[in-house]
Amino acid sequence: MDFQTAVFFFLSAILVFAALRVITARNPVYAALHLMLAFFTTGGLWLMLQAEFLGIALIVVYVGAVMVLFLFVVMMLDINIDRIREGFWRYLPLGAVLGLVMVLEMGLVLGSKYFQVPISEVVVPAGVSNTKEIGALLVTDYVFPFELAAVILLVGMIAAVVLTFRGRKASKISNPNTQVFVKAKDRVRVLQMPVEKD
Amino acid sequence: MDALMNFGQGIFGGAWPAVWTLIKIVLIVAPLMLGVAYLTYFERKVIGFMQVRIGPNRVGPWGLIQPIADGLKLLLKEIIVPSGSSKAVFVIAPMLAIAPALAAWAVIPFTDTLVLANIDASLLYILAITSMGVYGVILSGWASNSKYAFLGAMRSAAQMVSYEIAMGFALITVLMIAGTLNFIDIVEGQNKGMFADMGLGFLSWNWLPLLPMFLVYLISGTAELNRAPFDIAEGESEIVAGFHVEYSGMAFALFFLAEYANMILVAALTSILFLGGWLSPVGFLPDGIWWMFAKMSFVLFLFLWFRATFPRYRYDLLMRLGWKVFLPLCFFWVIIVGAWMISPLNIWN
């Protein structure tokens, strides 16, 4: 077994373990942490496939940004685990069907040799920077899908803002100019009160 | 050098490349840790002089042994794990803080040949690794099971996520004019142009044509590091010490080491991306690693100077600066640089 295979099995073992813990961990923060570990090792596996741009982008986007926000939210939640467990049997059939579909899809990809699906066997020549190649493809062949994706993201962003926007609060801006010119008698009213005697 | 290589090959055989890489890692990390120790000394002395004090002067001549004494003290102190804390995460959090701070150094070049891993996507690698640093902070805050730590972690996470965007955009402009993600090529690219031919190399470095982005990068860098005046994550006056309130001894020291190692890292990145790395500022002096160190020291001095000069930013002003000032400025400047590059006035071809 050469070094690369050893690294592959090492990363895969961590990935499988982390993915399992994502769905079995009772504490949602631990689940999120294992998801982060899963993303990180996937990044490593992609690096081994010489897709360095995709591998690093996965870590920048998912581990560096998405999971931070995810963790942010999950940490704030007070999740009652028993309540979540209640729906387990009800959702099991749906989950099982989805899982089966995913297993089938993965089987088709992995076993493409046996199912006569044409497999892509691109050999990357040394010295080709795939960051540059992806960039060139994005702005030539795939420019419209790329722009479409950008527009969809923008729409999603605006939608998120609109959904959470609850209207402007009453303004609380203070004007330093008027604050400076305030006189004591504008603010404090001195009342004359007779001394109370009993 | 060849003799050393042959000697190592003779002793370790096939394992020599791995051993040699390990030796190089030690050669980077050991001076880095020493640098961190003396950066704290430098900080205390500089701020002392700025505030007309003496600074540490008891341990050793001019207080030079002080950082070593501090380190020993932290090593010998007990690590207290708070009851009710999430123990595994509490222990892992400081490791998650220091690991990215050290791993990022793998791709930092000190001269055009002196680099541990000269990879094509060095800048992307740095972005990926440094974006992981926030986990140490968030998790330490959460695992401590303490209000102050949690508040500090929340503040810090929001701050780091906000300023990472401005920082990324500043890097994008550098990428646009360099046309490469490789640090060595980025530095070499700053060595040409009208001023470099006249022997005034320092005017052809990226800081001058990208001056607004240089400032944005420097300020967001300070914010990313949670340094004063952006140190609301620690905010002694409000939340005691922020995310590391509950940490003591070596666990606290790891956060401390990570912060200072990150400071040196940002200084190195600023030197490479904007200040011409190891290039000599004037034509008649030779290029070399000493320029790199001189520029890093200058940027580090700037960080200390900021700390001694500015009062802490208020939280809402900090968010406002990140999202409403820097982000639009960055968008605008990316478009400006793009237009500049396709215009006949392009100076980077």
Side-chain angles (χ1 to χ4, degrees):
Chain A
M1 191 162 65
D2 62 339
F3 184 62
Q4 286 230 325
T5 325
V7 172
F8 172 78
F9 280 117
F10 177 67
L11 290 177
S12 313
I14 295 178
L15 179 56
V16 169
F17 167 76
L20 267 177
R21 288 296 291 153
V22 173
I23 51 172
T24 54
R26 292 178 71 89
N27 189 331
V29 172
Y30 289 147
L33 284 178
H34 280 104
L35 187 56
M36 181 192 124
L37 180 64
F39 280 134
F40 196 75
T41 35
T42 314
L45 283 177
W46 287 5
L47 282 185
M48 288 187 64
L49 292 172
Q50 300 188 326
E52 74 256 15
F53 179 77
L54 284 180
I56 295 178
L58 181 79
I59 293 173
V60 172
V61 175
Y62 283 95
V63 181
V66 174
M67 287 311 293
V68 174
L69 298 177
F70 218 85
L71 205 59
F72 212 91
V73 174
V74 163
M75 271 160 54
M76 304 269 216
L77 295 178
D78 187 22
I79 294 177
N80 189 345
I81 294 158
D82 296 331
R83 287 267 307 281
I84 295 175
R85 292 280 151 113
E86 264 174 26
F88 182 77
W89 291 107
R90 201 147 58 82
Y91 292 117
L92 187 64
L94 181 67
V97 170
L98 281 181
L100 209 67
V101 171
M102 276 161 83
V103 167
L104 261 175
E105 284 177 350
M106 280 169 120
L108 280 176
V109 172
L110 292 176
S112 50
K113 265 186 228 152
Y114 309 106
F115 301 112
Q116 273 95 41
V117 180
I119 189 170
S120 80
E121 285 180 356
V122 184
V123 179
V124 184
V128 171
S129 158
N130 68 37
T131 313
K132 221 170 224 167
E133 297 297 318
I134 290 175
L137 272 180
L138 276 185
V139 293
T140 52
D141 291 2
Y142 295 100
V143 63
F144 291 117
F146 182 56
E147 305 233 315
L148 200 65
V151 171
I152 292 173
L153 282 177
L154 184 68
V155 170
M157 211 160 78
I158 295 171
V161 173
V162 169
L163 283 176
T164 52
F165 187 66
R166 301 259 180 248
R168 190 179 293 277
K169 282 199 203 89
S171 172
K172 284 183 179 167
I173 294 170
S174 53
N175 185 354
N177 202 28
T178 55
Q179 285 176 337
V180 169
F181 286 106
V182 159
K183 298 261 175 4
K185 73 173 192 308
D186 298 341
R187 293 288 160 87
V188 185
R189 202 154 45 100
V190 182
L191 295 179
Q192 295 291 334
M193 285 183 72
V195 180
E196 285 180 34
K197 288 178 202 157
D198 40 25
Chain B
M1 208 63 191
D2 284 339
L4 180 69
M5 286 295 177
N6 290 333
F7 177 71
Q9 198 82 52
I11 289 184
F12 294 103
W16 172 242
V19 175
W20 177 231
T21 310
L22 273 180
I23 293 174
K24 286 197 280 193
I25 292 174
V26 170
L27 282 181
I28 291 177
V29 171
L32 179 66
M33 287 295 119
L34 201 67
V36 165
Y38 277 91
L39 180 58
T40 64
Y41 172 78
F42 184 51
E43 175 169 33
R44 293 167 71 180
K45 274 288 185 193
V46 164
I47 295 182
F49 287 138
M50 283 183 182
Q51 298 169 344
V52 206
R53 295 183 286 113
I54 299 172
N57 71 338
R58 292 289 122 177
V59 193
W62 307 291
L64 271 173
I65 316 287
Q66 182 70 48
I68 311 291
D70 289 342
L72 276 179
K73 183 198 79 174
L74 285 172
L75 263 178
L76 295 175
K77 281 175 91 170
E78 184 189 358
I79 298 177
I80 299 164
V81 182
S83 59
S85 66
S86 169
K87 294 201 175 47
V89 181
F90 188 82
V91 174
I92 290 172
M95 302 179 196
L96 278 179
I98 191 143
L102 296 181
W105 284 90
V107 296
I108 299 287
F110 297 96
T111 69
D112 45 0
T113 49
L114 214 58
V115 55
L116 179 61
N118 182 17
I119 58 172
D120 256 345
S122 357
L123 191 57
L124 268 180
Y125 171 84
I126 286 281
L127 276 178
I129 292 293
T130 51
S131 67
M132 306 252 315
V134 67
Y135 283 105
V137 174
I138 301 187
L139 292 179
S140 64
W142 178 77
S144 299
N145 192 25
S146 149
K147 289 184 196 66
Y148 293 125
F150 194 63
L151 280 174
M154 288 285 120
R155 285 179 173 201
S156 172
Q159 179 184 346
M160 281 168 121
V161 171
S162 320
Y163 278 84
E164 214 162 37
I165 301 172
M167 210 165 166
F169 266 103
L171 296 182
I172 283 176
T173 55
V174 175
L175 281 190
M176 283 166 72
I177 62 171
T180 168
L181 286 163
N182 184 301
F183 281 140
I184 294 181
D185 294 341
I186 288 176
V187 171
E188 296 297 340
Q190 299 178 48
N191 201 14
K192 52 191 184 193
M194 189 177 69
F195 289 115
D197 295 339
M198 286 161 63
L200 294 170
F202 68 99
L203 291 175
S204 73
W205 297 343
N206 283 340
W207 69 271
L208 187 60
L210 296 179
L211 191 59
M213 288 299 103
F214 173 57
L215 295 179
V216 166
Y217 183 79
L218 202 59
I219 297 171
S220 343
T222 320
E224 278 287 290
L225 294 169
N226 286 332
R227 292 284 303 172
F230 303 107
D231 60 343
I232 52 153
E234 293 181 35
E236 298 91 339
S237 51
E238 303 146 19
I239 48 173
V240 196
F243 59 92
H244 56 57
V245 179
E246 306 292 345
Y247 283 88
S248 61
M250 215 45 212
F252 165 73
L254 282 187
F255 281 116
F256 201 75
L257 285 175
E259 180 183 335
Y260 281 76
N262 273 328
M263 264 173 86
I264 304 181
L265 179 73
V266 171
L269 285 176
T270 315
S271 323
I272 289 168
L273 297 170
F274 291 99
L275 299 175
W278 53 88
L279 299 175
S280 154
V282 281
F284 56 85
L285 291 173
D287 299 341
I289 191 168
W290 46 86
W291 291 116
M292 179 80 182
F293 287 139
K295 288 162 189 173
M296 281 164 66
S297 311
F298 171 69
V299 177
L300 287 173
F301 174 72
L302 284 182
F303 288 145
L304 308 184
W305 195 3
F306 293 159
R307 179 170 171 191
T309 310
F310 297 114
R312 182 177 300 130
Y313 242 53
R314 218 168 63 198
Y315 186 74
D316 59 324
L317 292 180
L318 181 104
M319 284 294 148
R320 187 179 168 274
L321 183 72
W323 291 103
K324 291 189 175 172
V325 179
F326 281 173
L327 203 57
L329 181 71
C330 288
F331 278 135
F332 187 63
W333 205 256
V334 165
I335 295 169
I336 295 257
V337 171
W340 190 356
M341 284 181 71
I342 54 169
S343 76
L345 298 171
N346 184 9
I347 54 172
W348 295 288
N349 42 22

Short mmCIF file of all heavy atoms in Angstrom, two decimals, chain B residues 152-186:
data_model
loop_
_atom_site.label_atom_id
_atom_site.label_comp_id
_atom_site.label_asym_id
_atom_site.label_seq_id
_atom_site.Cartn_x
_atom_site.Cartn_y
_atom_site.Cartn_z
N GLY B 152 -18.15 37.08 25.11
CA GLY B 152 -16.92 37.38 24.38
C GLY B 152 -16.84 36.59 23.10
O GLY B 152 -16.47 37.12 22.05
N ALA B 153 -17.23 35.30 23.16
CA ALA B 153 -17.16 34.45 21.98
C ALA B 153 -18.11 34.95 20.90
O ALA B 153 -17.76 35.03 19.72
CB ALA B 153 -17.50 33.01 22.35
N MET B 154 -19.34 35.34 21.31
CA MET B 154 -20.32 35.84 20.35
C MET B 154 -19.81 37.09 19.66
O MET B 154 -19.86 37.24 18.45
CB MET B 154 -21.62 36.18 21.08
CG MET B 154 -22.40 34.98 21.53
SD MET B 154 -23.17 34.23 20.13
CE MET B 154 -22.45 32.63 20.16
N ARG B 155 -19.30 38.01 20.48
CA ARG B 155 -18.78 39.26 19.91
C ARG B 155 -17.66 38.97 18.93
O ARG B 155 -17.62 39.51 17.83
CB ARG B 155 -18.20 40.12 21.03
CG ARG B 155 -19.21 40.79 21.89
CD ARG B 155 -18.45 41.55 22.93
NE ARG B 155 -19.31 42.39 23.75
CZ ARG B 155 -18.85 43.42 24.43
NH1 ARG B 155 -17.59 43.73 24.38
NH2 ARG B 155 -19.66 44.14 25.15
N SER B 156 -16.75 38.11 19.37
CA SER B 156 -15.57 37.84 18.56
C SER B 156 -15.96 37.18 17.25
O SER B 156 -15.43 37.53 16.19
CB SER B 156 -14.63 36.95 19.35
OG SER B 156 -13.61 36.55 18.54
N ALA B 157 -16.91 36.23 17.32
CA ALA B 157 -17.30 35.53 16.10
C ALA B 157 -17.91 36.52 15.11
O ALA B 157 -17.55 36.54 13.92
CB ALA B 157 -18.29 34.43 16.43
N ALA B 158 -18.82 37.38 15.61
CA ALA B 158 -19.45 38.35 14.72
C ALA B 158 -18.40 39.26 14.10
O ALA B 158 -18.42 39.55 12.90
CB ALA B 158 -20.47 39.16 15.50
N GLN B 159 -17.46 39.68 14.91
CA GLN B 159 -16.43 40.60 14.44
C GLN B 159 -15.54 39.95 13.40
O GLN B 159 -15.26 40.52 12.35
CB GLN B 159 -15.61 41.04 15.64
CG GLN B 159 -14.49 41.97 15.30
CD GLN B 159 -13.66 42.28 16.52
OE1 GLN B 159 -14.07 42.00 17.64
NE2 GLN B 159 -12.50 42.83 16.32
N MET B 160 -15.12 38.72 13.68
CA MET B 160 -14.19 38.06 12.75
C MET B 160 -14.87 37.78 11.42
O MET B 160 -14.27 37.94 10.36
CB MET B 160 -13.65 36.78 13.36
CG MET B 160 -12.55 37.05 14.35
SD MET B 160 -12.17 35.60 15.31
CE MET B 160 -10.47 35.38 14.92
N VAL B 161 -16.16 37.35 11.48
CA VAL B 161 -16.86 37.06 10.23
C VAL B 161 -17.03 38.34 9.41
O VAL B 161 -16.84 38.35 8.19
CB VAL B 161 -18.22 36.40 10.53
CG1 VAL B 161 -19.04 36.29 9.28
CG2 VAL B 161 -18.00 35.02 11.11
N SER B 162 -17.33 39.47 10.10
CA SER B 162 -17.54 40.72 9.36
C SER B 162 -16.26 41.20 8.68
O SER B 162 -16.28 41.61 7.52
CB SER B 162 -18.02 41.82 10.28
OG SER B 162 -18.93 41.35 11.20
N TYR B 163 -15.16 41.18 9.44
CA TYR B 163 -13.95 41.76 8.89
C TYR B 163 -13.23 40.84 7.92
O TYR B 163 -12.41 41.29 7.13
CB TYR B 163 -13.02 42.20 10.02
CG TYR B 163 -13.44 43.54 10.56
CD1 TYR B 163 -14.42 43.65 11.51
CD2 TYR B 163 -12.89 44.70 10.04
CE1 TYR B 163 -14.84 44.87 11.97
CE2 TYR B 163 -13.30 45.93 10.49
CZ TYR B 163 -14.27 46.01 11.46
OH TYR B 163 -14.68 47.23 11.90
N GLU B 164 -13.56 39.54 7.98
CA GLU B 164 -12.95 38.62 7.02
C GLU B 164 -13.33 39.01 5.60
O GLU B 164 -12.55 38.85 4.67
CB GLU B 164 -13.44 37.20 7.32
CG GLU B 164 -12.42 36.14 7.06
CD GLU B 164 -12.79 34.86 7.77
OE1 GLU B 164 -13.98 34.56 7.83
OE2 GLU B 164 -11.87 34.20 8.26
N ILE B 165 -14.56 39.53 5.44
CA ILE B 165 -15.04 39.89 4.10
C ILE B 165 -14.23 41.05 3.54
O ILE B 165 -13.73 40.99 2.41
CB ILE B 165 -16.55 40.23 4.16
CG1 ILE B 165 -17.31 39.03 4.70
CG2 ILE B 165 -17.05 40.61 2.80
CD1 ILE B 165 -18.75 39.32 4.98
N ALA B 166 -14.07 42.09 4.36
CA ALA B 166 -13.29 43.25 3.90
C ALA B 166 -11.86 42.82 3.59
O ALA B 166 -11.27 43.22 2.58
CB ALA B 166 -13.30 44.33 4.97
N MET B 167 -11.33 41.95 4.45
CA MET B 167 -9.96 41.48 4.26
C MET B 167 -9.85 40.69 2.96
O MET B 167 -8.92 40.90 2.18
CB MET B 167 -9.61 40.57 5.44
CG MET B 167 -8.18 40.57 5.81
SD MET B 167 -8.08 39.81 7.44
CE MET B 167 -6.34 39.53 7.49
N GLY B 168 -10.84 39.83 2.71
CA GLY B 168 -10.84 39.04 1.49
C GLY B 168 -10.88 39.93 0.25
O GLY B 168 -10.17 39.68 -0.72
N PHE B 169 -11.69 41.00 0.32
CA PHE B 169 -11.78 41.89 -0.84
C PHE B 169 -10.46 42.62 -1.08
O PHE B 169 -10.05 42.83 -2.23
CB PHE B 169 -12.91 42.89 -0.65
CG PHE B 169 -14.18 42.43 -1.28
CD1 PHE B 169 -15.19 41.91 -0.53
CD2 PHE B 169 -14.32 42.50 -2.66
CE1 PHE B 169 -16.35 41.46 -1.13
CE2 PHE B 169 -15.47 42.06 -3.26
CZ PHE B 169 -16.49 41.53 -2.49
N ALA B 170 -9.80 43.02 0.02
CA ALA B 170 -8.49 43.66 -0.15
C ALA B 170 -7.53 42.70 -0.84
O ALA B 170 -6.75 43.11 -1.72
CB ALA B 170 -7.95 44.09 1.21
N LEU B 171 -7.63 41.42 -0.50
CA LEU B 171 -6.75 40.43 -1.12
C LEU B 171 -7.12 40.25 -2.59
O LEU B 171 -6.26 40.01 -3.43
CB LEU B 171 -6.84 39.09 -0.40
CG LEU B 171 -6.36 39.13 1.04
CD1 LEU B 171 -6.45 37.76 1.65
CD2 LEU B 171 -4.93 39.62 1.11
N ILE B 172 -8.43 40.38 -2.90
CA ILE B 172 -8.86 40.19 -4.28
C ILE B 172 -8.20 41.23 -5.20
O ILE B 172 -7.75 40.91 -6.30
CB ILE B 172 -10.40 40.25 -4.39
CG1 ILE B 172 -10.98 38.92 -3.89
CG2 ILE B 172 -10.86 40.50 -5.81
CD1 ILE B 172 -12.47 38.89 -3.85
N THR B 173 -8.10 42.48 -4.72
CA THR B 173 -7.46 43.49 -5.58
C THR B 173 -6.00 43.13 -5.82
O THR B 173 -5.49 43.29 -6.94
CB THR B 173 -7.54 44.88 -4.94
OG1 THR B 173 -6.99 44.82 -3.65
CG2 THR B 173 -8.95 45.39 -4.88
N VAL B 174 -5.34 42.62 -4.79
CA VAL B 174 -3.94 42.20 -4.97
C VAL B 174 -3.87 41.08 -6.01
O VAL B 174 -3.02 41.08 -6.90
CB VAL B 174 -3.32 41.74 -3.64
CG1 VAL B 174 -1.93 41.19 -3.86
CG2 VAL B 174 -3.29 42.87 -2.65
N LEU B 175 -4.81 40.13 -5.89
CA LEU B 175 -4.86 39.02 -6.84
C LEU B 175 -5.05 39.52 -8.26
O LEU B 175 -4.43 39.03 -9.20
CB LEU B 175 -6.06 38.12 -6.53
CG LEU B 175 -5.94 37.16 -5.41
CD1 LEU B 175 -7.12 36.23 -5.44
CD2 LEU B 175 -4.67 36.39 -5.58
N MET B 176 -5.95 40.51 -8.41
CA MET B 176 -6.26 41.00 -9.75
C MET B 176 -5.01 41.54 -10.42
O MET B 176 -4.74 41.25 -11.59
CB MET B 176 -7.32 42.11 -9.66
CG MET B 176 -8.72 41.57 -9.44
SD MET B 176 -9.83 42.87 -8.97
CE MET B 176 -10.01 43.75 -10.49
N ILE B 177 -4.23 42.34 -9.69
CA ILE B 177 -3.08 42.94 -10.35
C ILE B 177 -1.91 41.98 -10.43
O ILE B 177 -1.06 42.11 -11.30
CB ILE B 177 -2.65 44.27 -9.69
CG1 ILE B 177 -2.22 44.03 -8.26
CG2 ILE B 177 -3.77 45.28 -9.75
CD1 ILE B 177 -1.61 45.26 -7.67
N ALA B 178 -1.87 40.97 -9.53
CA ALA B 178 -0.75 40.03 -9.59
C ALA B 178 -1.05 38.91 -10.59
O ALA B 178 -0.14 38.38 -11.21
CB ALA B 178 -0.48 39.45 -8.21
N GLY B 179 -2.32 38.56 -10.73
CA GLY B 179 -2.69 37.50 -11.67
C GLY B 179 -2.24 36.12 -11.22
O GLY B 179 -2.15 35.20 -12.01
N THR B 180 -1.94 35.96 -9.93
CA THR B 180 -1.50 34.66 -9.44
C THR B 180 -1.84 34.55 -7.96
O THR B 180 -2.02 35.55 -7.29
CB THR B 180 0.01 34.46 -9.65
OG1 THR B 180 0.41 33.32 -8.91
CG2 THR B 180 0.79 35.66 -9.15
N LEU B 181 -1.94 33.30 -7.48
CA LEU B 181 -2.22 33.07 -6.07
C LEU B 181 -0.95 32.71 -5.31
O LEU B 181 -0.97 32.49 -4.12
CB LEU B 181 -3.22 31.92 -5.91
CG LEU B 181 -4.67 32.19 -6.27
CD1 LEU B 181 -5.40 30.89 -6.47
CD2 LEU B 181 -5.33 32.98 -5.18
N ASN B 182 0.16 32.62 -6.05
CA ASN B 182 1.41 32.18 -5.44
C ASN B 182 2.15 33.37 -4.82
O ASN B 182 2.38 34.37 -5.49
CB ASN B 182 2.26 31.51 -6.51
CG ASN B 182 3.52 30.94 -5.95
OD1 ASN B 182 4.33 31.67 -5.37
ND2 ASN B 182 3.72 29.65 -6.10
N PHE B 183 2.53 33.25 -3.55
CA PHE B 183 3.14 34.39 -2.86
C PHE B 183 4.44 34.84 -3.51
O PHE B 183 4.71 36.03 -3.62
CB PHE B 183 3.41 34.03 -1.39
CG PHE B 183 2.19 34.11 -0.54
CD1 PHE B 183 1.95 33.17 0.44
CD2 PHE B 183 1.28 35.13 -0.71
CE1 PHE B 183 0.82 33.25 1.23
CE2 PHE B 183 0.16 35.22 0.07
CZ PHE B 183 -0.07 34.27 1.05
N ILE B 184 5.26 33.88 -3.93
CA ILE B 184 6.55 34.26 -4.50
C ILE B 184 6.34 35.08 -5.77
O ILE B 184 6.97 36.11 -5.98
CB ILE B 184 7.40 33.00 -4.75
CG1 ILE B 184 7.73 32.37 -3.40
CG2 ILE B 184 8.66 33.35 -5.52
CD1 ILE B 184 8.57 31.15 -3.47
N ASP B 185 5.36 34.64 -6.60
CA ASP B 185 5.07 35.39 -7.82
C ASP B 185 4.48 36.76 -7.50
O ASP B 185 4.74 37.74 -8.21
CB ASP B 185 4.10 34.60 -8.72
CG ASP B 185 4.74 33.33 -9.23
OD1 ASP B 185 5.99 33.26 -9.20
OD2 ASP B 185 4.01 32.41 -9.64
N ILE B 186 3.67 36.83 -6.43
CA ILE B 186 3.07 38.12 -6.05
C ILE B 186 4.18 39.10 -5.68
O ILE B 186 4.17 40.26 -6.09
CB ILE B 186 2.08 37.93 -4.88
CG1 ILE B 186 0.82 37.22 -5.36
CG2 ILE B 186 1.70 39.28 -4.27
CD1 ILE B 186 -0.18 36.91 -4.27
#
